[in-house]
Amino acid sequence: MSSPNIATPAVTTVYAVSGMSCGHCETAVTRAVGALDAVRAVTVDVPAGRVMVTTSGEPDDTLVADAVDDAGYELTGRA
């Protein structure tokens, strides 16, 4: 039995994303990924093509990829 008082540890995962080139890209990806339930923080590095996602527990890579895709970009894998 798990205790409800124990916080789920944060996990930070870095993803490679292609197609980002500007501030609009950063905003779109941040909003799309940040809207996912388990996401605590999103940091986008446009020049490097990287998105750092901090989640409650292990992230669901498929959900993150779908959010990036919905924003108009392509998640190419974990960096």
Side-chain angles (χ1 to χ4, degrees):
M1 184 165 104
S2 71
S3 171
N5 295 329
I6 297 175
T8 303
V11 176
T12 300
T13 308
V14 180
Y15 296 97
V17 176
S18 65
M20 299 185 301
S21 62
C22 63
H24 169 75
C25 302
E26 178 181 352
T27 301
V29 171
T30 299
R31 283 185 182 156
V33 176
L36 298 173
D37 285 339
V39 173
R40 292 182 180 180
V42 179
T43 303
V44 178
D45 183 345
V46 172
R50 301 284 187 258
V51 177
M52 184 176 3
V53 182
T54 302
T55 54
S56 300
E58 282 298 317
D60 184 330
D61 291 344
T62 302
L63 287 178
V64 175
D66 288 347
V68 170
D69 184 60
D70 288 347
Y73 308 96
E74 181 184 2
L75 189 148
T76 57
R78 289 190 179 199

